[in-house]
């Protein structure tokens, strides 16, 4: 299975309620003011209420409060704050963790999940009509399934790998073209 775009139409899909696949609850945080929390520079990401930079507000020199390989979102903003967190991190007030019930949810399958979760909530929320944990739990998403009706984790993983490979080819092509153009300009 190559996981290409052409295979999407040939897959069988099933609707799932997020609460049946994940536990959603607030991330642990230090309860510090921003001045105290962000006092040190370090390597541990602090996931904040942001729709930018994968939700990372800063990197600090404190022990992580959460394990990586989960999805997070803020319940004070829009659903654009849904992100995959690959590394251990520090939680923040109003940041919700989306904790998989199954160990089959790994990096590539969680990236796939983030895409369908965002799509299911796209343009439905704003700062007046906030996306929150209750809404997230009740959100339905469509996922590919196997012949026996189980979530097709292999398909999701191979699909994300195929997209990544195509993206890298595009970047390589772009860089090769621009390096050649730059060399030509320098020769002049």
């Amino acid at each position: 299975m190559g996981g290409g775009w052409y295979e999407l139409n040939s897959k069988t899909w099933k609707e799932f309620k997020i609460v049946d696949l994940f536990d959603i609850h607030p991330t642990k945080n230090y309860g510090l003011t921003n001045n105290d929390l962000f006092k040190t520079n370090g390597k541990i990401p602090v996931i904040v209420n942001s729709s930018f930079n994968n939700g990372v507000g800063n990197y600090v020199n404190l022990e992580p409060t959460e394990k990586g390989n989960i999805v997070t979102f803020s319940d004070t903003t829009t659903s654009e704050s849904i992100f995959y967190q690959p590394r251990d991190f520090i939680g923040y007030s109003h940041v919700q963790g989306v904790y998989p019930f199954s160990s089959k949810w790994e990096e590539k399958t969680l990236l796939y999940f983030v895409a369908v979760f965002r799509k299911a909530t796209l343009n439905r929320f704003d700062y007046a009509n906030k996306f929150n944990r209750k809404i997230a739990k009740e959100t339905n998403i469509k996922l590919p399934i196997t012949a026996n009706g189980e979530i097709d984790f292999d398909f999701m993983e191979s699909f994300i790998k195929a997209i990544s490979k195509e993206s890298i080819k595009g970047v390589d092509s772009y860089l090769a073209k621009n390096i050649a153009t730059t060399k030509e300009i320098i020769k002049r």
Side-chain angles (χ1 to χ4, degrees):
M1 176 175 315
W5 293 105
Y6 58 90
E7 291 187 52
L8 287 175
N9 291 332
S10 64
K11 288 302 299 171
T12 302
W13 301 84
K14 181 178 173 184
E15 201 165 85
F16 294 88
K17 193 169 287 220
I18 290 180
V19 71
D20 294 332
L21 305 174
F22 299 90
D23 178 31
I24 301 176
H25 61 266
T27 58
K28 296 180 200 96
N29 64 71
Y30 278 101
L32 299 172
T33 65
N34 284 351
N35 283 342
D36 290 333
L37 179 61
F38 298 128
K39 192 182 295 184
T40 63
N41 289 322
K43 295 182 179 183
I44 304 301
V46 179
I47 307 304
V48 298
N49 302 304
S50 174
S51 297
F52 301 98
N53 196 31
N54 211 54
V56 177
N58 205 348
Y59 293 87
V60 298
N61 192 19
L62 295 169
E63 288 296 313
T65 60
E66 298 287 338
K67 292 286 184 193
N69 200 48
I70 67 166
V71 172
T72 59
F73 67 88
S74 171
D75 67 4
T76 62
T77 63
T78 68
S79 60
E80 293 172 357
S81 67
I82 300 169
F83 295 109
Y84 169 69
Q85 304 302 334
R87 299 175 45 199
D88 293 356
F89 64 93
I90 295 171
Y92 196 77
S93 182
H94 296 285
V95 172
Q96 304 296 313
V98 182
Y99 304 87
F101 289 134
S102 169
S103 62
K104 292 181 180 180
W105 289 104
E106 296 177 351
E107 180 182 19
K108 302 283 189 278
T109 54
L110 284 170
L111 287 169
Y112 191 100
F113 167 73
V114 165
V116 296
F117 191 13
R118 281 181 161 216
K119 183 178 180 196
T121 59
L122 188 65
N123 298 324
R124 291 180 42 207
F125 304 96
D126 55 35
Y127 288 91
N129 181 29
K130 296 179 186 204
F131 181 64
N132 60 43
R133 181 174 60 230
K134 182 179 178 189
I135 292 167
K137 287 180 177 183
E138 296 304 312
T139 298
N140 291 317
I141 56 170
K142 287 188 178 182
L143 294 174
I145 58 172
T146 62
N148 65 359
E150 299 294 320
I151 296 173
D152 195 341
F153 289 99
D154 291 337
F155 174 80
M156 291 188 292
E157 182 172 346
S158 64
F159 187 80
I160 293 297
K161 282 180 182 177
I163 289 174
S164 298
K165 193 175 191 179
E166 288 301 312
S167 296
I168 290 168
K169 281 184 195 175
V171 170
D172 286 346
S173 174
Y174 174 82
L175 290 175
K177 177 183 173 188
N178 284 303
I179 289 172
T181 303
T182 303
K183 285 180 181 178
E184 197 163 307
I185 291 170
I186 292 171
K187 285 181 188 178
R188 296 180 192 164

